[in-house]
Each structure stands twice: as structure tokens, then as C-alpha cells.
Amino acid sequence: MFIYLWWQFMLIAKSNYIRKLIIESKEADLARINLSNIPGGPEIFEKAARFCYGVNFDITVLNVAALRCAAEYLQMTDLYCENNLCSRTEDFLSQVPLSSLSGALVVLKSCEDLLPMAEDLKIVQRCVDVASAKACVEANFPSRSPPNWWTEELTILDVSFFEKIITSMKSGGAKALTIASAIITYAERSLRDLVRDHSGNGIKSLDSGESDIRIQQRDLLQSIVALMPPEKAAFPINFLCRLLRTGIFLRAANICKNELEKRISVILEHATVDDLLVLSFSYDGERQFDHESIRRIISGFVEKEKNVSVFNGGDFKEASSTAMQRVAKTVDAYLGEIATSVDLSISKFNGIANLVPKGARKVDDDLYRAIDIYLKTHPNLDEIERENVCSVMDPLKLSYDARVHASQNKRLPVQIVLHALYYDQLKVRSGTDDQTMPNAVTTRNQLQADVSLMKENEELRTELLKMKMNVKDLQKTQGTSSKGNVKKPTFFSSMTKTLGKLNPFKHGSKDTSNMDDGMPGLTKPRRRRFSIS
């Protein structure tokens, strides 16, 4: 920007900078002066020139910082002219913007384009001090509704200025919850599409590539996480989960994601299934993220519970805290939700299920439900694979309704069905209920001793059926029987009848192949004894 000579006579009286340029110029006929670097650009210089000429103009909270910097640049101080632009802008700055939180924030926002001069003139620091002090007062003694209105005011700032205010509030002794409230609002406003929308709907065109926008969002997220107060429980867990999902999507640094995982693990007992699902699915609700974050979060919580138990002098294996039992229930429900994914491997499914200590589950009904859903979603698993999936469950810890369902569930491997039937058989035989039954270890040892015999009987039954079929085929091919004639007993048929009488499953077995596989809710079958003599 240039000014021409006919301006200079009115400016040199109040601007020492222009005066020096004219005096020090070596040009015989100085036609114009270069003022390209003036803060605020041509618009602010025009206002400064109006001031020199005595033309009225408005000083506002939006332009006062720029006018103050321009006045300093032009050296328009009281040293050269009384009541010059520097003093006029200083008076306005102190009396108007810095008397309120909103005014200080507007001036601070305008300083983003005036660096570093705005910092050299202490405008930035003065605004930060006023804003942080008044924010603390509003947090403790709200002057208007809603009570957290001041957090919305902070969202107009660049993250670097927001960081200055948060740091100043911490130095001033602000509570962790106060800091957390400001950070939550700022994150939800500055990363609106990524943090606020956690339903999996409405954001199907997000590009996870390394675009400039994604890089800026990642830097912003990492700055926000770095500002969090050390108190791990200061933030609600659903916000932390949404923030971590954003970090995974934006490929944030490991230190950022690890910090969020640690904070989530500390308060995992407050998590819901929806909170964990936020971490598992991308924004389109179709693609799954890696489950390693979930594994680390659960492992961190279990490790914390172990440390607490040891500190209190207890045995973690003998008893689990209420928090651990609540997490176990949430994890089992979570497994039931992700089990519908056809891409979920057995190792990942079992890996998450096994993170929860066995003693944390009083009953395994929720885990059984998750297993049943997984087997239904993956119908092509062989017997060994299905047994592997069921290995995370203890059939002896199922409720009566769950055992009834398991005994009729043809998706389960035979061994699990036998476990369920055998447990009820022991109860009928002993005439006891679930509370007075022998402990699980004793029952399991008895069951393991009898399972092999039951399998042998099942194989014998199969061989007998094959033998009957062979006899029938032999009779047909030889044509020994005729219509209306009485059949003569053969050696094979006699043996079949004899062995059939010895078949332990003739009256006591339960063929589950043709039963309905619906969830409990069917009429409970009459209790029968399925004993093996």
C-alpha cells in the first residue's frame, strides 16, 4: 500500500514513522510512501488517517486491537502529539472490551491476524488474563443461563489461544470439572462432524485420507487431548469414547490414543454397550475398526482391579468387585452386538471374552447368548471350531432357562449339550437345587469322567443303526422275504434287539436335531431323568 505526498503533511504531525520516512528519503521528489506492512491493512490505515485529519470514526471491540497495533507501527504516541491514537485505543481497550468476558474474547480473536505485534504489546496476555478470570467466576457463580454459556464463548478462538486460556485457568486454581466442561464444548464445536455425530448415520462421505483438512483436524484433536487435566475421571466416558473414535479415524499419534484409552479404562464400569460400539464401528456404521483399543481398555481396567484387590489384601481370583461384575456384563453384551459381524474371527471373539476373569461372571447367560449369535452368523464352522468358540463359556454356570435352551440348540457342539443335560441330571438324581449343588469343580470332574462313556454309547448307537440298514439291504437283495409271509428272525436282527435293550439312550436321550432353536421363552419341558445305567 502506498500513500501520496498530498497526505503527508497531515500525517507527519501525529506519525513519527512517516516523519522519519520523509526526512530519511533520498529521493528529491518523494511521490509516495510504502506502508504495505501496516497491521490491519488498508482499512485500518484509512481509519488512522481519519484520526489524523480529525474525521470521526468508530473504535469497536472488533478493530481496537488492529488500531492499537497500527498506531504502534506508525509511532502515533503522546510523545509526538497529545492524546494520540495509541492512548485513545488503550483507553478504549481497558474501559470497554476488557471489562467483560465476551469483549475480551472478541479482541483476542481479532489478534489472530496481528501476531506477533499483538503479543509484544501485551494485548493477547491481557485478554487471556481477563477471560480466564471471568470464566472461573462464571463457572462458580453463573450470572445468566444456561450456566455453561461461557464455554460456548470460548469456541470462537483458535486452539492456540484456547490453550492459553485453559492454561491460565489451571494456574488460577480452576476445578478439573470446570476445565473439562470448557474442553468438551470446544471439542464438540471445533470437531462437530467427528465428535458430535456418534450414531453411525449421516456421515457416509468422510474421507480418511491425508487431506489438509484431516491433518488440521488431527492436530486440533491432539492439542485438545494434551490440554486435559490430570484427573482421569473428569470427563464422561461417552465423550472419551467419541474422542478416541475420532483419533482412530484421523490416525492420531499413539500417545494421544493411549491417553484416551487410559482415561476410559479407569472409569470403564460406567460404560454402556453403546459407548463400546462407538469404538468398534466407523462413521458409516458398516466398517469395523481394529478391536485392539477395546482389548487394551478392558485389560487396563482388569489390571487396575487386580492392583486394588492386592492393595486391600484380598485375592482377586476369589471375589470380584461390583465394578468388575458390571464390566463383565457390559463386555458380554458387547460381544453379542459384534458377533453379528461375519468378518469377526474366532480368535478376536475369544480374545475379548477371555479378558474378563472367570470369577467376574456369576452366570454365563449373556456370554452364552453372544456365542449363540456368533454360531448363527457363522453357520459353516466345523465341530472343532464350534467347540473353540464355546470354550470361553462354563456350561455349569448357566441358569436353568439357559440350560434348557442349550439342550435344544442344534448349533452347539455335542459336548456342550451333554454338559447342560448332565448338570440337570445330577440335580434330579440328588434332589437338590442350584444353590445346594456340589461346587463346579467337583461337578466338572464327575462330568469329565462320564463324557467319554457317553460318547462311546453314542457311537455304539450309530453302529447299531448302520447294522440295521445293512440287514435291510441284504434282505432286499436276496429276496428272501415275500409279501404276507412271516419273517424269520435272523442272527443280525436278534443281535440288534439284544443290543437295543442295552442302549442307554433308548429311553433317556434327547435328540435335539429337530427342536426349535429359539431363545428361552418356550414352555419349559417336563424334567426327565437322563441317566446312564
Side-chain angles (χ1 to χ4, degrees):
M1 181 185 67
F2 297 88
I3 62 171
Y4 293 91
L5 275 175
W6 61 276
W7 284 79
Q8 66 184 14
F9 301 107
M10 304 301 298
L11 295 174
I12 58 177
K14 294 185 178 181
S15 173
N16 186 56
Y17 179 78
I18 296 178
R19 181 187 295 113
K20 288 194 300 183
L21 284 180
I22 295 175
I23 294 174
E24 296 173 1
S25 176
K26 297 179 180 180
E27 296 183 24
D29 186 12
L30 185 60
R32 59 183 184 175
I33 300 174
N34 184 4
L35 295 176
S36 300
N37 295 326
I38 188 172
E43 180 181 354
I44 295 301
F45 174 75
E46 180 183 352
K47 293 184 183 301
R50 284 173 176 269
F51 176 81
C52 294
Y53 277 88
V55 179
N56 291 331
F57 69 94
D58 292 330
I59 300 178
T60 66
V61 292
L62 293 173
N63 64 25
V64 64
L67 284 171
R68 176 65 183 90
C69 292
E72 189 69 22
Y73 179 85
L74 295 172
Q75 299 176 17
M76 298 176 67
T77 65
D78 287 357
L79 181 62
Y80 306 103
C81 179
E82 185 179 355
N83 200 21
N84 211 342
L85 186 59
C86 284
S87 59
R88 290 284 297 274
T89 52
E90 277 292 340
D91 291 342
F92 182 87
L93 190 62
S94 301
Q95 296 173 10
V96 181
L98 297 185
S99 63
S100 66
L101 173 61
S102 299
L105 293 176
V106 172
V107 173
L108 188 58
K109 173 67 176 177
S110 67
C111 289
E112 293 176 2
D113 299 325
L114 301 172
L115 300 176
M117 182 172 286
E119 288 186 331
D120 295 339
L121 296 175
K122 306 299 182 183
I123 300 176
V124 171
Q125 190 58 50
R126 290 161 65 189
C127 291
V128 167
D129 293 341
V130 170
S132 60
K134 291 188 177 297
C136 290
V137 172
E138 284 294 330
N140 296 323
F141 309 100
S143 62
R144 68 189 199 198
S145 60
N148 65 336
W149 66 270
W150 60 273
T151 63
E152 294 285 343
E153 298 286 323
L154 295 178
T155 60
I156 67 172
L157 299 176
D158 180 80
V159 68
S160 60
F161 286 161
F162 177 75
E163 181 179 357
K164 290 180 183 293
I165 290 182
I166 295 299
T167 303
S168 180
M169 292 177 67
K170 290 179 180 178
S171 301
K175 298 178 181 178
L177 292 178
T178 300
I179 301 296
S181 177
I183 291 177
I184 291 172
T185 305
Y186 189 85
E188 290 182 342
R189 289 290 295 271
S190 57
L191 296 170
R192 184 187 302 271
D193 292 339
L194 296 176
V195 176
R196 277 196 170 183
D197 191 336
H198 53 91
S199 62
N201 299 317
I203 305 182
K204 298 183 179 297
S205 61
L206 282 176
D207 178 18
S208 60
E210 290 296 307
S211 64
D212 292 339
I213 295 178
R214 291 290 171 261
I215 294 174
Q216 293 174 5
Q217 291 175 331
R218 180 169 62 228
D219 293 341
L220 177 58
L221 172 67
Q222 293 173 170
S223 298
I224 291 173
V225 173
L227 287 175
M228 290 182 171
E231 291 80 0
K232 301 296 184 182
F235 294 88
I237 193 167
N238 62 338
F239 171 74
L240 293 174
C241 289
R242 286 182 280 137
L243 217 57
L244 178 56
R245 195 256 295 264
T246 303
I248 296 172
F249 176 76
L250 295 176
R251 299 186 180 94
N254 288 334
I255 188 173
C256 172
K257 293 186 289 188
N258 291 341
E259 175 64 21
L260 291 171
E261 289 171 359
K262 290 177 182 178
R263 289 177 178 272
I264 295 172
S265 66
V266 169
I267 55 174
L268 186 59
E269 66 268 25
H270 301 296
T272 64
V273 177
D274 290 337
D275 294 331
L276 297 184
L277 288 176
V278 163
L279 292 174
S280 300
F281 292 92
S282 60
Y283 290 92
D284 57 12
E286 299 174 357
R287 182 172 60 87
Q288 277 193 335
F289 285 128
D290 194 349
H291 294 287
E292 287 306 309
S293 285
I294 292 289
R295 291 171 59 89
R296 286 191 293 268
I297 289 170
I298 299 174
S299 297
F301 176 81
V302 173
E303 188 65 26
K304 184 203 74 170
E305 288 294 302
K306 287 181 179 179
N307 294 337
V308 171
S309 179
V310 171
F311 179 79
N312 293 333
D315 186 354
F316 183 73
K317 295 181 179 179
E318 292 181 359
S320 295
S321 66
T322 303
M324 187 71 252
Q325 294 174 21
R326 189 181 298 119
V327 168
K329 192 172 186 64
T330 302
V331 171
D332 290 346
Y334 167 76
L335 286 170
E337 294 294 330
I338 66 173
T340 57
S341 173
V342 295
D343 297 328
L344 183 64
S345 65
I346 296 176
S347 61
K348 288 185 177 180
F349 181 87
N350 287 1
I352 296 175
N354 286 327
L355 290 174
V356 178
K358 299 292 185 183
R361 297 184 176 100
K362 297 303 181 183
V363 293
D364 278 10
D365 288 14
D366 291 335
L367 184 58
Y368 167 64
R369 173 182 174 275
I371 291 173
D372 189 41
I373 293 173
Y374 187 88
L375 294 177
K376 187 175 182 179
T377 308
H378 302 77
N380 297 324
L381 299 179
D382 58 31
E383 186 77 5
I384 296 178
E385 290 173 330
R386 286 187 286 128
E387 288 182 357
N388 190 14
V389 175
C390 295
S391 65
V392 299
M393 175 185 66
D394 186 353
L396 302 184
K397 292 174 67 176
L398 295 177
S399 66
Y400 173 74
D401 289 339
R403 289 196 301 271
V404 170
H405 183 273
S407 67
Q408 302 173 2
N409 191 346
K410 39 186 191 179
R411 287 187 289 270
L412 294 177
V414 175
Q415 185 174 359
I416 300 299
V417 176
L418 294 178
H419 275 66
L421 292 174
Y422 191 75
Y423 188 79
D424 279 332
Q425 183 187 40
L426 288 178
K427 287 203 307 177
V428 173
R429 182 184 299 173
S430 60
T432 57
D433 55 18
D434 286 338
Q435 284 70 34
T436 57
M437 279 293 293
N439 61 55
V441 175
T442 303
T443 305
R444 192 176 290 105
N445 290 337
Q446 295 175 356
L447 181 58
Q448 289 175 349
D450 293 345
V451 164
S452 59
L453 177 60
M454 297 174 75
K455 286 187 175 181
E456 290 178 3
N457 289 336
E458 187 68 22
E459 292 175 358
L460 177 60
R461 177 185 175 188
T462 303
E463 290 297 325
L464 289 174
L465 292 175
K466 289 182 179 180
M467 188 179 296
K468 286 183 180 180
M469 296 300 297
N470 290 336
V471 170
K472 288 182 179 180
D473 292 341
L474 183 62
Q475 290 175 346
K476 286 181 180 181
T477 54
Q478 293 178 349
T480 56
S481 61
S482 60
K483 193 171 185 179
N485 293 335
V486 179
K487 297 181 181 178
K488 294 183 178 181
T490 64
F491 172 75
F492 292 108
S493 62
S494 300
M495 178 178 290
T496 301
K497 290 181 178 181
T498 302
L499 294 178
K501 294 177 181 181
L502 298 177
N503 180 13
F505 292 94
K506 182 175 181 182
H507 302 289
S509 65
K510 225 178 190 184
D511 189 356
T512 64
S513 60
N514 295 319
M515 291 185 178
D516 186 13
D517 58 354
M519 289 300 294
L522 299 174
T523 303
K524 294 184 179 179
R526 185 159 56 95
R527 297 194 179 186
R528 301 177 182 274
R529 293 181 52 137
F530 301 104
S531 59
I532 302 174
S533 304

